[in-house]
Amino acid sequence: MATDGTKIIDGDTAHDTYWGIMDLYDSEAKSEMILNEFPLEQPDYFDAFDNEIYVTSCGLAYWEIGLMTPERVKYIENVIAKDACVNEWRKLSEKEGKSRKSVLTRFLNKIKKENVKVRKPKKYRKISNFIFNENDILSFKLKDNSYRSLICMKIDQYRGNCNYWFVPTVYESSEKPTEKSITKEMILGRTIGTGYDKETTRQEQPGIEIIWDYVGGNPKFFFGFVIDAVEHRDLLNFKDSFEKIGSVKIIDGLKKTGSFGYSENFERFEEKYADLDKQISIFGYKKYPIDIMVKK
């Protein structure tokens, strides 16, 4: 529980709550919908620790968008007064406990005052002039002049950020790859456990039978690719290091995340691809043939 930081927005529950509210607000959802989707009071769904995390992150969002009331402030105060998070962090260290206590004191002082500058809904600009496109096959050279290849599996835009989801192939050669040679190669992915039955899993991920058939036996899992994401503004700085050599249309249902990381410069790609087998061994990635994933 107390592995998150002591800030109000610092951890999965807090981020999911705060940004879930802001996503609705920025899409101009009515206040009633926001309050219905993210009610301040729902203690039955959380223990005391997580309830404080939820209530305080929810309360901060309420205050910023003008939904705070005296009654809601009182409820938040009552939740905080139980010291659930402070006591939990004190188990780690007195310093952590004091830090959370200080954060909560400042937070309460803030939300007790009227917000005279209510946050306006934001309109996020979307990138339309992409550097590369989904399904592009890219090649690049390492310092030893050997070639590597990856596929731009998806372009994801969220809250003003545009990320290219690159997936490694295992291609390694002194010769530049071609579209044909890459479609015969292997790509990196991993399986993800599921508590669903097989039929529900099929419905949740169309095309998963292809991976099941390849693995064999009587499997039941989801599948996701090994994603190495690059933000648009970062990719602009080293886009010329890549060359498009073709495209391949991967079945849409298979374009899920198995693992996710970011690279901010070309040096990170050189580091990873120079010893891809090491990455595969450390993180437990698996190799899958590209040709079984292609739309027929």
Side-chain angles (χ1 to χ4, degrees):
M1 291 187 305
T3 54
D4 297 332
T6 60
K7 299 176 183 177
I8 298 299
I9 310 300
D10 206 347
D12 290 346
T13 299
H15 277 278
D16 290 347
T17 303
Y18 178 84
W19 289 113
I21 292 171
M22 290 307 180
D23 283 345
L24 288 174
Y25 183 69
D26 289 336
S27 64
E28 300 185 348
K30 293 182 178 180
S31 298
E32 291 78 8
M33 177 180 286
I34 295 173
L35 295 171
N36 183 60
E37 291 293 323
F38 292 90
L40 188 63
E41 300 183 37
Q42 47 176 343
D44 293 341
Y45 291 93
F46 301 105
D47 59 23
F49 179 92
D50 285 325
N51 190 48
E52 180 183 307
I53 298 294
Y54 172 80
V55 167
T56 52
S57 56
C58 188
L60 180 60
Y62 278 17
W63 184 83
E64 290 183 1
I65 64 177
L67 292 180
M68 189 55 71
T69 64
E71 292 76 19
R72 289 169 187 152
V73 170
K74 186 63 177 177
Y75 177 76
I76 294 170
E77 279 189 294
N78 290 337
V79 170
I80 290 175
K82 296 176 182 178
D83 279 339
C85 289
V86 171
N87 291 336
E88 191 65 35
W89 267 299
R90 278 180 177 153
K91 294 178 183 178
L92 295 178
S93 73
E94 187 64 28
K95 180 180 178 181
E96 293 293 300
K98 288 181 178 179
S99 174
R100 180 64 178 182
K101 192 75 172 179
S102 177
V103 166
L104 293 173
T105 298
R106 293 195 301 271
F107 169 69
L108 284 174
N109 288 336
K110 181 176 185 175
I111 66 171
K112 286 179 180 179
K113 298 175 183 177
E114 181 185 358
N115 183 4
V116 295
K117 293 184 178 180
V118 172
R119 178 187 182 282
K120 294 181 179 179
K122 294 181 179 180
K123 298 294 184 182
Y124 294 95
R125 184 178 71 88
K126 284 195 171 185
I127 300 293
S128 57
N129 186 23
F130 298 121
I131 301 170
F132 299 111
N133 295 304
E134 288 190 14
N135 303 313
D136 281 355
I137 303 173
L138 308 179
S139 75
F140 58 98
K141 258 186 178 184
L142 298 185
K143 291 177 181 178
D144 63 1
N145 286 323
S146 64
Y147 285 93
R148 302 292 192 273
S149 180
L150 51 78
I151 295 174
C152 182
M153 195 61 62
K154 183 178 178 179
I155 298 174
D156 180 62
Q157 299 203 62
Y158 176 68
R159 303 193 73 83
N161 293 317
C162 176
N163 288 298
Y164 295 78
W165 288 14
F166 292 145
V167 181
T169 74
V170 299
Y171 184 86
E172 179 181 348
S173 175
S174 59
E175 297 183 5
K176 184 162 70 172
T178 63
E179 178 181 303
K180 185 176 181 180
S181 65
I182 294 302
T183 55
K184 296 179 180 178
E185 273 293 347
M186 308 288 275
I187 197 167
L188 297 187
R190 68 190 312 169
T191 59
I192 307 160
T194 172
Y196 296 127
D197 57 37
K198 294 194 78 166
E199 183 55 36
T200 304
T201 304
R202 285 192 185 95
Q203 294 173 7
E204 291 291 320
Q205 187 170 26
I208 187 60
E209 300 98 331
I210 293 169
I211 308 299
W212 289 349
D213 291 343
Y214 173 73
V215 172
N218 187 32
K220 187 187 70 170
F221 53 73
F222 290 119
F223 169 81
F225 287 106
V226 174
I227 306 297
D228 194 2
V230 183
E231 221 284 328
H232 182 85
R233 62 176 177 269
D234 291 328
L235 187 56
L236 286 170
N237 295 322
F238 58 97
K239 61 184 177 64
D240 293 338
S241 296
F242 300 100
E243 178 184 352
K244 177 183 175 181
I245 57 171
S247 62
V248 58
K249 292 185 177 180
I250 303 295
I251 294 170
D252 290 334
L254 297 179
K255 292 183 177 182
K256 305 297 184 181
T257 304
S259 71
F260 198 90
Y262 280 95
S263 290
E264 298 178 349
N265 50 54
F266 188 66
E267 287 71 26
R268 286 290 293 150
F269 280 90
E270 291 183 312
E271 179 183 335
K272 292 177 183 178
Y273 283 80
D275 194 353
L276 198 56
D277 286 338
K278 183 178 180 180
Q279 299 283 323
I280 293 170
S281 176
I282 291 174
F283 297 106
Y285 302 148
K286 301 297 182 183
K287 302 175 184 178
Y288 300 87
I290 294 173
D291 59 3
I292 67 172
M293 306 179 182
V294 176
K295 291 181 181 179
K296 306 302 183 183

